[in-house]
Amino acid sequence: MKKKWLSGCLALLLMLATFGGTGVVFAEQTETPAATADGLWTAEVEIVSPDLEHEGLPFVATVEFEEGANAFDLLLAAVGEENVQYTVHPEFGPFIEGIMGLEGTASDWWMFNVNGEASMVGAGSYLVEDGDTLQWEYFVDDSAEWEVFAFADQDKVSPWAQEATQWLGYFNIMSGKPSGDSFLFDPKGTTTRAEFTKLLVSILYEDPSGAEAAGFTDVAAGAWYADYVNKAKLENLIGGYADNTFKPSATISRQDAAVILARAFELSPSAEAPSFGDVTAAYAKDAIAAIAEAGIMEGYNGAFRPQDSITREELAVVTLRLFEVFGE
């Protein structure tokens, strides 16, 4: 499959893969060792800001804990919950906005490292092992031009989606909705099947035009999404309904998005892939397991909510993850 990665993707990947002049090696969760005789483990918590002086930093503390604690719990135990500014998203977990009064921005943020390597999972999902060194490192990016981009309603975007919406908007991967002389992102709005298809095809292919008409009775030849739908159907990324319609204006569900993404990126689940008790549609089970295992979409406290629609800001985060995982 021929994939087209927009020019901005390379810059983002270099930014994410380089820190302090050294390449980032991703830390994976390893098998948990046996507990010590007294049942308590210890881990070191470090809070550092190498590129920016800030009162109280660097901070180092040793924390005792019981098996099963996650890294976010240990951060709160080390510095006190009153010194951590965060929000909790039902799908993506805790999002750290600031530590000890140093708050992140669209271009500067807190990176979570385990034993000197960037973690593949968030602090709320990483189960700490005895002897781990957990580090929150404030990363200052002076090179990102996209940080100055903002939709007219950027202040309505959740903190955990600020970076994704600005980056995707700057490179015109996700566009806004006209409102007078400006554009609104509408972060809490839903995504239609036509919008989702256009976004995916725009990422994967240089030129969607020229594909044979898909034959859907509700996709007019001159519609703004027609070429994208035709290309997606040609590549077997999408299917229609029994009545030969595509329903372009219908909102896309989480399970249908997962199915399309799994097809597009040729993902299949391993034996260790997560499963969700609320996923009952046979056609979506493997796709949802695969897309969750790849870290592209996650669940809500053990549930996937397959019938829920994806908000535009959630889709922005998912899209940025696609670039991070498959952008090479």
Side-chain angles (χ1 to χ4, degrees):
M1 179 183 298
K2 183 179 181 182
K3 296 181 173 65
K4 184 258 295 186
W5 302 107
L6 302 180
S7 59
C9 179
L10 179 59
L12 175 69
L13 292 173
L14 290 174
M15 177 185 73
L16 293 175
T18 306
F19 191 86
T22 60
V24 169
V25 180
F26 290 106
E28 298 187 25
Q29 186 88 47
T30 57
E31 184 176 352
T32 303
T36 55
D38 60 5
L40 290 178
W41 293 349
T42 61
E44 188 170 275
V45 174
E46 300 179 353
I47 316 294
V48 298
S49 176
D51 299 321
L52 184 67
E53 291 186 4
H54 186 76
E55 184 179 357
L57 300 182
F59 171 91
V60 179
T62 299
V63 179
E64 292 186 337
F65 63 99
E66 295 183 351
E67 179 182 359
N70 63 56
F72 182 70
D73 291 336
L74 267 63
L75 172 65
L76 299 183
V79 303
E81 186 168 3
E82 69 277 7
N83 291 314
V84 181
Q85 295 75 51
Y86 65 95
T87 56
V88 179
H89 185 270
E91 179 178 0
F92 304 117
F95 177 84
I96 294 177
E97 300 170 356
I99 302 176
M100 301 178 72
L102 183 55
E103 297 187 8
T105 68
S107 59
D108 306 337
W109 60 88
W110 286 100
M111 293 182 64
F112 171 52
N113 305 317
V114 178
N115 300 325
E117 302 174 351
S119 175
M120 291 185 68
V121 298
S125 299
Y126 182 82
L127 297 182
V128 185
E129 300 175 2
D130 190 25
D132 273 348
T133 296
L134 311 175
Q135 183 186 76
W136 280 264
E137 187 169 13
Y138 193 72
F139 176 67
V140 178
D141 177 32
D142 296 324
S143 63
E145 296 180 359
W146 52 265
E147 68 187 52
V148 301
F149 180 89
F151 290 101
D153 57 348
Q154 195 69 40
D155 60 330
K156 301 296 192 298
V157 177
S158 299
W160 47 266
Q162 286 284 340
E163 176 189 352
T165 54
Q166 287 187 282
W167 191 83
L168 295 171
Y170 178 81
F171 290 107
N172 200 31
I173 300 171
M174 287 187 73
S175 57
K177 301 178 180 181
S179 176
D181 296 331
S182 59
F183 290 86
L184 301 175
F185 187 76
D186 187 21
K188 315 304 180 187
T190 56
T191 303
T192 68
R193 287 168 54 83
E195 290 169 337
F196 181 85
T197 302
K198 179 184 178 182
L199 174 63
L200 181 60
V201 171
S202 296
I203 291 172
L204 292 176
Y205 303 101
E206 292 282 355
D207 183 6
S209 63
E212 181 181 354
F216 296 122
T217 59
D218 57 350
V219 177
W224 59 266
Y225 49 81
D227 285 344
Y228 301 95
V229 171
N230 293 338
K231 182 65 172 178
K233 183 66 166 62
L234 177 67
E235 299 294 339
N236 197 34
L237 303 183
I238 62 170
Y241 291 86
D243 60 357
N244 202 31
T245 61
F246 178 67
K247 303 188 189 310
S249 298
T251 57
I252 189 165
S253 67
R254 286 171 52 81
Q255 71 179 9
D256 283 351
V259 168
I260 294 172
L261 291 174
R263 286 177 186 165
F265 294 94
E266 301 173 356
L267 298 176
S268 57
S270 71
E272 291 76 33
S275 60
F276 302 92
D278 60 341
V279 176
T280 59
Y283 79 93
K285 282 188 175 181
D286 282 353
I288 289 173
I291 210 73
E293 185 175 35
I296 305 303
M297 296 177 70
E298 300 175 0
Y300 296 81
N301 298 320
F304 190 76
R305 299 183 184 177
Q307 300 297 334
D308 282 8
S309 298
I310 299 177
T311 66
R312 284 175 52 81
E313 64 182 359
E314 288 176 331
L315 180 59
V317 172
V318 168
T319 303
L320 185 56
R321 288 180 176 180
L322 289 174
F323 276 97
E324 293 172 1
V325 175
F326 299 106
E328 295 182 354

